Amino acid sequence: MQSLLKKLKSGTDVRGVAVGDGITLTDEAVIAISRAFVKWLNRKYKKTSFKIAVGHDSRISAQRVLSCVKEGILSSGSDLVYTGLSSTPSMFILLKKSDWGCDASIMITASHLPYNRNGLKFFTPDGGLDGKDIDEILSIAEGGGFLSGKGEFTEKLYMDEYSQILVDTVRKACNSEAPLKGKKIIVDAGNGAGGFFAEKVLIPLGANTEGSQFLQPDGYFPNHIPNPEDKGAIDSLSEAVLKCKADLGIIFDTDVDRAGAVAANGEEINRNRLIALVSAILLKDKPGVIVTDSVTSDGLTQFIESLGGKHLRFVRGYKNVIDKSKELNASGVYSPLAMETSGHAAFIDNYFLDDGAYLITRLLICLASLKEGESITDIIRNLPEPEECAEVRLSFSDATDFKADGQKVIEELKEIAKKSDGIVLAQTNYEGARISFGKDGGDGWLLARMSVHDPVMPINFESNSKGGNRVMAQWLLNVLQAYPFLNLDNLKNFIHN
């Protein structure tokens, strides 16, 4: 089990195969990790007994994993409060706003990953754990020496209380009991945990939710991947919005820590467009720094600056972006939002929690304030948008040290860019090599970086001219052919297809 446990780390979470062939998130592993979490809490808070809330999303392995978490916590002498079907953000808000007296919480989820995966997310009242905390928990799990005792198990649902917090947020901001009366808003939950939003948030606010789809939890996710970034998922919602003549469509990922939207005309409000919209809402109240991941567009920077704000691109990974925004505020620089293009959005007024449902409440407040004939997309009509954008993922040969070799490629790419005519290397850049090209060289930029978790080098392209991405890709291919440990097939296919 020693080698298995380390492999279960996924950034700031634990994730693995939970169903079918090749199970890695075994009963033994989950029990050990749960007991290790109690021991980690013991070291942190100098107590021997805790009350820990545990919830899960709609995955088919949820009950098996729950039973193992239950065994681990109770046998360590701590109490477990089972919250049933839950969203990831609710498991943190519970620690901040309920009167339950819980010391920590665990969410059983693997976010948008396939149905056969599952995992664990951990929270204390200080927030979600970081990668170093996960390393320590897994080390404890390997070493043993757990606490022992006999805890108590109780069941107490929290989603109604959490939903009421969201409803009250909108009502207070709009000074109305039913600010969405006359609005048709539909929800696509992708058969994950987000179906509650239609019944428990939108309807109490007066909205018509007829036409909402895939609200019923189903851990096989039979209709589409519950992922706001997935084209098939967005296309499905866009079709539903147009068919129902809705004012807004909302889509969540499986555990509701991410969200996206579709406007009344069927256009997606996602990635740069969603960040621009939320930035406009916030910067109207007070200028500040919007922190995003590294792949956001130059047009987004121009848009944020036109509103009196500043845009800081940081290292990809939602925890990295959130921590940078927190750091700015701690230093006296106001930063109201940390947001990734994936749909993770964390607000200063919501504990910097990446909460897809809270993100949507901010859009609802904006929607309720629109005048007759206005669209929510009017707010971002001045956002400069590229002609083309794409991502190509390059893999490494099995024999290579992909982290070291990948970093070598990026550093040498920077040096080549510095010496090339018509090419500019971004001076302020926290991740990878971001290279801008003139009109004759592709009229845009590319970003070569290493994946947060996988042996992959994603390349992001954005051009203001049709065909520009392929021009930049050809330049990159010519450079990368010098590295035999890189598989360039995807790049070649992108150029020629």
Side-chain angles (χ1 to χ4, degrees):
M1 185 169 64
Q2 185 167 359
S3 59
L4 168 66
L5 290 178
K6 290 293 186 183
K7 292 179 180 178
L8 292 175
K9 180 185 177 184
S10 178
T12 57
D13 306 339
V14 168
R15 293 182 185 176
V17 177
V19 174
D21 297 331
I23 291 177
T24 57
L25 197 69
T26 62
D27 290 1
E28 183 184 16
V30 176
I31 293 168
I33 292 168
S34 302
R35 299 197 73 180
F37 181 51
V38 177
K39 181 67 176 178
W40 181 86
L41 291 170
N42 164 250
R43 291 180 177 178
K44 182 177 178 66
Y45 296 108
K46 311 303 179 187
K47 293 169 53 179
T48 57
S49 179
F50 302 91
K51 181 186 284 189
I52 301 172
V54 180
H56 57 76
D57 64 20
S58 60
R59 292 175 178 277
I60 60 173
S61 57
Q63 290 301 318
R64 178 183 72 82
V65 177
L66 170 66
S67 67
C68 297
V69 172
K70 176 181 176 181
E71 180 177 336
I73 290 175
L74 299 185
S75 65
S76 296
S78 285
D79 298 335
L80 189 155
V81 182
Y82 171 50
T83 62
L85 184 70
S86 304
S87 73
T88 291
S90 74
M91 298 306 296
F92 173 70
I93 293 297
L94 179 155
L95 301 178
K96 303 297 289 188
K97 294 190 174 182
S98 78
D99 58 0
W100 295 10
C102 290
D103 302 290
S105 62
I106 298 174
M107 176 67 178
I108 300 170
T109 182
S111 189
H112 64 281
L113 293 183
Y115 79 93
N116 66 329
R117 308 297 180 90
N118 216 328
L120 306 172
K121 291 185 176 182
F122 305 91
F123 295 95
T124 72
D126 296 327
L129 272 56
D130 61 26
K132 291 181 179 178
D133 297 325
I134 301 301
D135 286 334
E136 186 176 349
I137 288 170
L138 294 178
S139 293
I140 295 170
E142 290 174 351
F146 306 124
L147 300 181
S148 295
K150 188 175 181 180
E152 293 185 0
F153 178 87
T154 57
E155 184 172 347
K156 189 175 182 181
L157 303 183
Y158 182 67
M159 287 304 292
D160 284 353
E161 187 175 329
Y162 169 75
S163 299
Q164 190 61 48
I165 292 171
L166 299 175
V167 170
D168 291 344
T169 298
V170 179
R171 285 175 173 166
K172 181 178 179 181
C174 298
N175 194 28
S176 170
E177 281 292 301
L180 300 180
K181 188 175 181 179
K183 303 288 186 184
K184 190 164 192 178
I185 304 171
I186 64 173
V187 175
D188 183 330
N191 302 112
F196 76 94
F197 200 84
E199 177 188 352
K200 297 179 185 291
V201 179
L202 291 176
I203 290 176
L205 290 170
N208 178 349
T209 63
E210 293 178 11
S212 293
Q213 59 186 18
F214 317 137
L215 304 184
Q216 187 66 28
D218 186 334
Y220 286 103
F221 312 125
N223 294 290
H224 61 66
I225 297 170
N227 182 358
E229 284 191 287
D230 181 72
K231 185 178 185 303
I234 287 292
D235 287 348
S236 177
L237 177 59
S238 295
E239 183 179 337
V241 165
L242 293 172
K243 181 180 178 180
C244 298
K245 297 181 180 178
D247 296 287
L248 186 70
I250 297 162
I251 186 168
F252 295 113
D253 73 339
T254 318
D255 63 328
V256 202
D257 61 358
R258 294 189 295 134
V262 168
N265 62 0
E267 290 184 6
E268 68 176 277
I269 308 173
N270 225 344
R271 300 178 65 82
N272 289 291
R273 302 188 90 217
L274 184 56
I275 298 173
L277 178 56
V278 179
S279 298
I281 292 169
L282 296 175
L283 293 175
K284 184 173 69 172
D285 296 331
K286 183 179 178 181
V289 179
I290 306 298
V291 181
T292 72
D293 56 351
S294 59
V295 301
T296 45
S297 70
D298 291 342
L300 178 63
T301 301
Q302 296 169 32
F303 181 77
I304 290 172
E305 291 177 348
S306 74
L307 298 173
K310 293 183 179 179
H311 180 201
L312 191 157
R313 292 190 191 94
F314 199 59
V315 179
R316 193 164 170 82
Y318 70 92
K319 195 73 164 61
N320 295 325
V321 175
I322 290 171
D323 287 346
K324 187 61 179 178
S325 192
K326 286 182 176 179
E327 177 188 315
L328 288 172
N329 283 289
S331 69
V333 177
Y334 177 63
S335 175
L337 177 69
M339 190 164 180
E340 273 204 313
T341 49
S342 64
H344 282 287
F347 296 76
I348 191 173
D349 62 357
N350 193 44
Y351 308 104
F352 274 115
L353 170 68
D354 51 318
D355 184 346
Y358 185 80
L359 164 63
I360 296 301
T361 66
R362 300 305 297 255
L363 300 192
L364 296 180
I365 293 166
C366 178
L367 183 68
S369 70
L370 297 178
K371 298 177 182 177
E372 185 74 27
E374 288 183 331
S375 168
I376 199 167
T377 53
D378 291 342
I379 297 169
I380 55 172
R381 62 180 176 272
N382 294 325
L383 171 67
E385 301 201 58
E387 183 70 26
E388 300 178 335
C389 57
E391 180 176 278
V392 178
R393 297 169 72 84
L394 308 181
S395 60
F396 290 77
S397 64
D398 293 337
T400 188
D401 179 351
F402 71 88
K403 289 185 178 179
D405 288 341
Q407 193 56 44
K408 175 185 176 183
V409 171
I410 288 170
E411 293 305 318
E412 293 182 0
L413 194 57
K414 291 178 182 178
E415 293 304 314
I416 292 169
K418 288 178 183 177
K419 299 173 184 177
S420 301
D421 293 333
I423 294 175
V424 177
L425 179 70
Q427 296 302 304
T428 304
N429 185 54
Y430 293 92
E431 181 175 31
R434 189 180 180 104
I435 303 169
S436 297
F437 297 76
K439 286 190 175 295
D440 294 335
D443 194 17
W445 56 267
L446 68 80
L447 173 69
R449 59 186 175 84
M450 288 300 296
S451 169
V452 176
H453 306 303
D454 304 316
V456 171
M457 179 181 288
I459 313 293
N460 294 89
F461 298 95
E462 186 176 290
S463 176
N464 297 313
S465 301
K466 191 172 181 60
N469 281 349
R470 286 183 170 82
V471 175
M472 293 184 288
Q474 183 62 59
W475 178 88
L476 183 64
L477 177 63
N478 294 340
V479 173
L480 296 185
Q481 284 175 337
Y483 304 99
F485 50 80
L486 274 175
N487 182 342
L488 302 176
D489 288 347
N490 288 346
L491 189 59
K492 294 174 182 177
N493 290 336
F494 175 71
I495 293 169
H496 298 296
N497 291 340

